[in-house]
Amino acid sequence: MEERYSRQIPIMGKEGIEKLKNSKVFVGRCGGVGGTVVNYLIRAGVGNLICAHGGKIVPEYLNRMQLAYETDVGKSCIDAFRDKTDKINSQAKIHYIDNHITDIDNIEELLSDVDLVVDAHPLFEERYKLNDLALKLDKPMVSGAMYGDEGYVFTVLPHKTACLRCLYPKKPDFWTNIKVFPALGMGPGIIGCSMAREAIELLLKGTSQLSGKTLHFDLADMDFSVLNMPRKECNH
Ligand SMILES: [Zn+2]
């Protein structure tokens, strides 16, 4: 066993480390939230990832994206991210896709052999698409979202616990009216860390603390709570 994972042995045993090495995870968007998830998953030894994120690095990303540095401004996001992840864990096999989930034609095929999906998307169109694919393909999904100092994380076990459509049957009106999305780096960092921990738990045990529940926090008040997330009729 490699020395780099030795501190994880008391938590998951050698067999857990082996399990993570053979796992495959899809991460939709690798910005402030998703980039934090990717960082910690590959540090923990998750062996295979598919990461989808379009566009180029702009200066306003730098206050929250762990995988983007000043020298990356103007580069494609995936080139910037690949540069960092190669240095964090060169053994992680990451298939980068230079596009967002709503613009990937063969997304269903790409998701067919992953063990779980991570929804780190800011847009409801993207979140609904991944939610529906996760249900269709029977993949567990960890989902996280933020607004300013507020953060939300929940996990969906397909056909067993509530899904995104149970929480939001339709896109909330307030979302449409947002002109500038407020963001500090700490919120996405906490969300991403919580999601990565959920993902590890799901990969190792098939269930997790936030399955059917929502972690909500507001850093302006340092208020953290876990709420039950009722399953509703959404045909899932
Ligand atoms: Zn549902």
Side-chain angles (χ1 to χ4, degrees), residues 162-163 165-166 232 234 236:
C163 75
R165 288 188 189 274
C166 294
K232 294 183 182 157
C234 68
H236 71 242

Side-chain angles (χ1 to χ4, degrees), residues 131 135 161-167 231-236:
N131 179 79
L135 293 175
T161 66
C163 75
L164 177 68
R165 288 188 189 274
C166 294
L167 198 60
R231 198 173 168 203
K232 294 183 182 157
E233 294 303 319
C234 68
N235 299 320
H236 71 242

Side-chain angles (χ1 to χ4, degrees), residues 13-102:
K14 290 181 180 176
E15 54 295 346
I17 291 165
E18 197 60 28
K19 210 167 184 178
L20 294 186
K21 190 175 150 191
N22 295 318
S23 297
K24 188 170 185 178
V25 176
F26 172 82
V27 182
R29 293 248 203 179
C30 307
V33 172
T36 307
V37 177
V38 171
N39 181 8
Y40 283 106
L41 288 187
I42 64 173
R43 284 184 192 277
V46 172
N48 307 277
L49 277 86
I50 302 174
C51 294
H53 195 116
K56 292 184 187 317
I57 303 288
V58 294
E60 61 103 344
Y61 289 172
L62 298 176
N63 83 329
R64 61 192 182 281
M65 290 195 185
Q66 294 192 12
L67 303 180
Y69 295 174
E70 271 184 18
T71 47
D72 295 321
V73 171
K75 290 182 190 168
S76 77
C77 288
I78 61 162
D79 283 347
F81 300 162
R82 186 187 289 113
D83 173 62
K84 310 307 171 305
T85 51
D86 280 353
K87 289 168 183 158
I88 293 167
N89 190 342
S90 59
Q91 293 168 350
K93 296 185 186 75
I94 307 182
H95 173 37
Y96 278 105
I97 301 166
D98 189 5
N99 231 335
H100 296 310
I101 188 173
T102 39

Side-chain angles (χ1 to χ4, degrees), residues 124 147 152 168 171-179:
F124 268 86
Y147 186 82
Y152 304 84
Y168 294 107
K171 187 168 123 181
D173 291 338
F174 73 88
W175 215 257
T176 314
N177 300 324
I178 298 170
K179 292 196 171 63

